[in-house]
Amino acid sequence: MSISTVGAGPAVSAGPAPLAPPSPARRARKRSRGLLLTWGFAAPALVVYATFVLVPVGLAAVYSFFNWNGLGDLDRFIGIDNYARALADPVFLGAMRNNALIVVLSLLIQGPLAIGIALLLNRPIRGRTMIRTLIFVPYVLSEVVAGLAFKLLLPPDGPFDGMLTALGWVGEKPLWLADPDIAFWTLFAVITWKYLGFAIILMLAGLQGVPEELSEAASIDGASWWQIQRHITLPLLGPTIRIWAFLSIIGSLQLFDMVFILTGGGPLNSTETMATYMVEYGNGRSQIGYGSAVAVILFVVSLVVALLYQRFILRRDLAGAITKGG
Amino acid sequence: MMNRRSITRRAAVAATTVLAIGLTACAPAGEGSADGDVTLTWWHNGTGEPLLGFWEDVASEFEEANPGVTVEVTAYQNEELQRTLIPNQLRTGSGLDLYQQWGAGELAAQVEAGYVKDISEDVAGQVDALGGVVAPWQVDGATYGLPFNFGIEGFWYNTELFAEAGITETPTTLDELYEAIDALKAADIVPIAVGAGDGWPAAHYWYNFALKSCSPEVLQTAQADLTFDDPCFIEAGELLEEFIATEPFQDGFLGTGAQQGAGSSAGILATGGAAMELMGQWNPGVMGGILQEETGDAEATPPEFLGWFNFPAIEGAQGDPTAALGGGDGFSCSAWSPPECSDLLEYITSVEVQTRFGEIGAGVPVTPGSEAGIADPNLQLVFDGLQSASYVQLWLDTAFGATVGGAMNEGIVSLFGGQGEPASIVQNMKDAAATL
């Protein structure tokens, strides 16, 4: 004989109260207590989130309609003038172009590079763990430390130029951070160095989810290594690639620390991004209203890109990941 | 409208208050408690020695001399203090009594917003004693702060490299400066280091050309009205363009910072990589700090080969040939500070404290009678230069305020990089002034 302790079946013998079906009133009480608990636990986090995220975002939106230097009353309403000014400023448009270029270059260069290295590292080779660790180290460093290190390495006749000379480079070296035509590419190279490890680790994790049986079967059928990667591994790695691309795009749009430390947006605004431009005006030039308008533009661009990406590219990957609860 | 405005304002104040309390964990200060005790909150930018310890000593001496008064003195990193902490705290209307103040454009904006106390009557004696150097801390004839350090800019140069290039006398005219540059280049020495990557150090060349091209009256009108129509401003850009064309600067100057590390312009001069740098009175101290970091020797001092000369006069230019460009540091009392605030400020600018300020070598004291304290020979050179200058113009970016100043500096750096023209610097300034 089995005794059921769950469900709404008849109570067996003198079963204790919990075995009986809860009355509607009791269920409601329980639910309200659950709700209270949920909100009770969430409240501190919500307060912090509202204070440090929602309120500042809302305030920035309000400030962006005023000509305000951060002092005194907020009393000079100028409508959308700040937005019009930003979108007409060649320096800001250049900053937007730089952000867009970094997005595209990251996707076109960092992605394939990371996938390629991950595929190589996924094979049994000697010292694999050490190589993986070495590749991941730059990502672990803080942006400030990495930026400062490259700032110290890259001045004219600095340690990096010395290394090039030792390796046999003769003649003039490029001005890595001081030539407006080169600084952007130096910046991109440093960003790639910094974030490639993260992309590779992500891809390697994704590769763990690709069943080996498929490759083995294909191999038995006579498929080459390249054919296996092209037709089996890469398609199955799709969700990982799409998530990495999402993180990369958002990160590229909001790029700040590395640029701020390495070049400060210079020389001649050649490495300016939307975020460094915002800080330069909002903080450096005491134009809080204008800086806020730039912040709102950056926020909207990031939000729109994120939503469109989720709607059209991540939809399939996220299906089932977000449940309705209950 | 009125309601909405007051709601947003309250929200802003609430948010900044939360931030301020979170960041500084300080109790509202400046309010006397029931037993008559007073707490003064004092913020300055002297995060390193000797200034840090010096201000702490001054605070405790003031406490001893004034029973019932507590001085809470805190040092913050300069840009953080100037651009973020002070404006945020002032907006809350409490919690700050005595704070670092650079004067002119920024002070005027704070006064207009009602945050700064008019101390004209409290410190009338000091204002008389200090004379012209108080001007940047005055708005419409009223005094809103006092300086404790004021110096002028000039070329800091390497006497050994000058000797190596066969230069026997420091240049007093622009032509002589060009000759010195040629002589240094001929001796395979980089003539001048400039930290154009930080903007302002490059901009100071234009300021000096403007100072020598424009009459003091034009400069004063420009500061008061933010009008830049006089042709002398474009002339300054043309003089600068000629100067840049002689290629006096180190390679990659567009990417060089001014004051951090051996690769900065101050570091290049300190380590013998260039013969000159145009910089303010603080430069020996900065170089000493860089050498301490580079050599690991905590006792390292500014290089002994240093010399100093004022920016040379320009033949035939409209400006005053003996005018100098300079600026200083001061302190202001917030509008809600207790009366003890101006007492403390008076003590800071007393002959006794100022003499000791000169002795520690952190800057050039301003109170007459304290000159004897200037122990550093380099600071003595700056002080002599200040004494012999007929007119001292405050740094133009400070004088015009952050908005116009930033746009002006950006335009000048573009000229350094071979982009833009003399007229576009002036246009940048006019455009920025129009957004105010």
Side-chain angles (χ1 to χ4, degrees):
Chain A
M1 175 189 172
S2 69
I3 299 172
S4 165
T5 55
V6 281
V12 177
S13 67
L19 292 177
S23 68
R26 196 167 179 170
R27 217 163 32 213
R29 254 207 320 274
K30 201 171 169 186
R31 194 180 300 152
S32 76
R33 203 170 61 193
L35 268 178
L36 203 70
L37 263 178
T38 310
W39 285 104
F41 281 121
L46 282 178
V47 167
V48 169
Y49 184 76
T51 309
F52 291 101
V53 178
L54 296 181
V55 171
V57 167
L59 282 177
V62 173
Y63 295 158
S64 70
F65 294 109
F66 289 84
N67 184 352
W68 192 47
N69 63 2
L71 301 168
D73 289 346
L74 205 59
D75 53 4
R76 289 168 64 198
F77 183 81
I78 54 165
I80 59 162
D81 282 10
N82 282 328
Y83 291 93
R85 186 182 147 200
L87 295 174
D89 182 357
V91 178
F92 181 65
L93 295 177
M96 287 181 105
R97 201 169 44 240
N98 281 343
N99 278 115
L101 200 56
I102 290 171
V103 167
V104 173
L105 288 172
S106 300
L107 295 180
L108 291 184
I109 296 177
Q110 287 178 13
L113 208 58
I115 295 168
I117 296 174
L119 287 177
L120 289 177
L121 281 181
N122 204 35
R123 310 172 85 187
I125 49 171
R126 196 185 290 268
R128 192 167 70 166
T129 315
M130 200 183 75
I131 296 173
R132 283 185 184 188
T133 310
L134 283 178
I135 285 175
F136 198 60
V137 163
Y139 181 69
V140 177
L141 287 178
S142 87
E143 294 229 355
V144 176
V145 171
L148 214 55
F150 276 96
K151 199 181 164 73
L152 293 173
L153 278 173
L154 292 171
D157 297 323
F160 186 71
D161 284 356
M163 200 177 77
L164 289 181
T165 308
L167 289 174
W169 178 315
V170 281
E172 290 275 300
K173 317 255 182 330
L175 297 169
W176 304 110
L177 294 174
D179 184 335
D181 296 330
I182 294 171
F184 177 84
W185 300 100
T186 308
L187 172 72
F188 182 72
V190 175
I191 296 171
T192 303
W193 171 84
K194 178 85 173 69
Y195 287 99
L196 193 62
F198 174 67
I200 292 171
I201 292 291
L202 215 58
M203 300 302 172
L204 280 171
L207 285 175
Q208 304 309 308
V210 178
E212 268 182 42
E213 295 84 350
L214 293 178
S215 315
E216 280 168 16
S219 179
I220 291 165
D221 286 347
S224 68
W225 182 81
W226 172 244
Q227 282 173 324
I228 293 172
Q229 310 309 329
R230 167 80 183 77
H231 295 288
I232 295 173
T233 315
L234 283 182
L236 288 174
L237 198 57
T240 310
I241 296 174
R242 287 191 286 274
I243 287 286
W244 165 79
F246 180 68
L247 295 175
S248 176
I249 291 169
I250 296 300
S252 301
L253 286 176
Q254 303 191 337
L255 186 64
F256 174 74
D257 320 31
M258 185 63 85
V259 188
F260 192 71
I261 298 286
L262 206 56
T263 63
L268 306 181
N269 304 317
S270 59
T271 58
E272 204 80 64
T273 66
M274 286 188 277
T276 57
Y277 181 91
M278 171 187 80
V279 170
E280 164 64 20
Y281 278 84
N283 237 25
R285 301 192 190 179
S286 299
Q287 296 191 303
I288 305 287
Y290 183 61
S292 299
V294 174
V296 171
I297 293 174
L298 174 56
F299 177 75
V300 169
V301 168
S302 303
L303 190 70
V304 167
V305 169
L307 290 178
L308 288 178
Y309 194 90
Q310 290 209 343
R311 176 78 182 77
F312 292 106
I313 298 178
L314 282 186
R315 191 175 44 172
R316 211 162 25 125
D317 300 328
L318 292 179
I322 300 170
T323 58
K324 288 205 173 106
Chain B
M1 188 65 201
M2 197 62 211
N3 273 344
R4 201 187 316 158
R5 194 181 297 160
S6 79
I7 288 168
T8 49
R9 202 178 148 208
R10 261 182 225 172
V13 169
T16 40
T17 309
V18 168
L19 275 173
I21 291 172
L23 289 174
T24 63
C26 68
E31 294 152 15
S33 64
D35 53 6
D37 286 350
V38 169
T39 301
L40 283 175
T41 301
W42 175 15
W43 287 1
H44 63 79
N45 71 348
T47 48
E49 294 298 351
L51 211 47
L52 182 65
F54 180 72
W55 290 138
E56 271 165 15
D57 291 347
V58 169
S60 5
E61 290 154 21
F62 186 75
E63 282 176 343
E64 263 172 51
N66 297 272
V69 177
T70 308
V71 182
E72 285 177 358
V73 51
T74 319
Y76 293 101
Q77 191 275 334
N78 185 56
E79 277 71 22
E80 190 72 6
L81 177 67
Q82 190 180 0
R83 298 269 167 254
T84 311
L85 295 174
I86 290 175
N88 278 349
Q89 193 63 47
L90 288 179
R91 216 154 39 232
T92 68
S94 70
L96 182 59
D97 302 304
L98 186 66
Y99 64 96
Q100 190 115 10
Q101 173 66 261
W102 291 269
E106 213 155 80
L107 173 66
Q110 291 172 4
V111 168
E112 197 189 332
Y115 296 144
V116 199
K117 185 182 256 182
D118 179 352
I119 51 169
S120 309
E121 284 179 19
D122 301 355
V123 297
Q126 298 297 96
V127 172
D128 286 345
L130 295 177
V133 292
V134 185
W137 288 267
Q138 292 176 319
V139 180
D140 296 333
T143 303
Y144 292 92
L146 289 178
F148 60 86
N149 173 25
F150 201 99
I152 56 168
E153 177 165 71
F155 279 101
W156 294 95
Y157 73 102
N158 184 325
T159 51
E160 292 166 8
L161 291 180
F162 264 46
E164 201 180 313
I167 306 165
T168 49
E169 304 231 344
T170 53
T172 54
T173 65
L174 188 59
D175 287 339
E176 286 175 18
L177 181 61
Y178 280 136
E179 285 166 22
I181 289 171
D182 288 342
L184 287 162
K185 280 175 141 181
D188 211 16
I189 297 166
V190 175
I192 304 177
V194 63
D198 283 344
W200 60 267
H204 280 200
Y205 282 87
W206 188 88
Y207 300 177
N208 275 288
F209 283 122
L211 182 67
K212 301 290 156 85
S213 303
C214 303
S215 67
E217 294 73 35
V218 168
L219 290 172
Q220 280 160 358
T221 312
Q223 182 172 332
D225 306 339
L226 295 180
T227 50
F228 312 103
D229 294 322
D230 197 289
C232 69
F233 289 109
I234 292 184
E235 199 182 304
E238 289 164 353
L239 284 166
L240 175 60
E241 211 170 21
E242 280 172 32
F243 189 77
I244 296 167
T246 65
E247 298 186 353
F249 303 114
Q250 84 278 13
D251 280 346
F253 58 82
L254 284 179
T256 306
Q259 305 189 328
Q260 286 179 326
S264 66
S265 52
I268 292 173
L269 179 64
T271 53
M276 293 180 257
E277 189 192 9
L278 178 66
M279 194 46 72
Q281 74 275 11
W282 57 83
N283 215 25
V286 169
M287 282 188 262
I290 290 174
L291 290 176
Q292 284 170 12
E293 284 170 22
E294 289 301 312
T295 60
D297 173 10
E299 303 295 313
T301 53
E304 285 184 5
F305 56 65
L306 273 190
W308 184 91
F309 62 92
N310 195 351
F311 197 91
I314 300 168
E315 302 83 351
Q318 295 290 308
D320 183 341
T322 67
L325 190 70
D329 303 299
F331 291 119
S332 282
C333 290
S334 60
W336 47 88
S337 63
E340 285 81 359
C341 183
S342 25
D343 296 343
L344 175 55
L345 189 48
E346 213 167 343
Y347 179 60
I348 289 168
T349 51
S350 66
V351 176
E352 191 233 322
V353 172
Q354 281 275 286
T355 306
R356 279 160 50 206
F357 178 74
E359 282 167 4
I360 62 167
V364 181
V366 290
T367 312
S370 58
E371 309 83 51
I374 304 176
D376 185 318
N378 293 308
L379 291 180
Q380 188 63 52
L381 287 170
V382 176
F383 180 76
D384 294 343
L386 182 63
Q387 295 295 98
S388 57
S390 56
Y391 167 73
V392 177
Q393 169 61 47
L394 184 68
W395 314 119
L396 294 185
D397 48 0
T398 309
F400 299 155
T403 300
V404 175
M408 169 175 65
N409 290 357
E410 188 186 326
I412 298 169
V413 173
S414 291
L415 195 71
F416 266 72
Q419 292 181 2
E421 288 162 17
S424 51
I425 297 172
V426 180
Q427 195 55 48
N428 256 19
M429 295 159 73
K430 288 179 178 172
D431 290 348
T435 68
L436 290 172

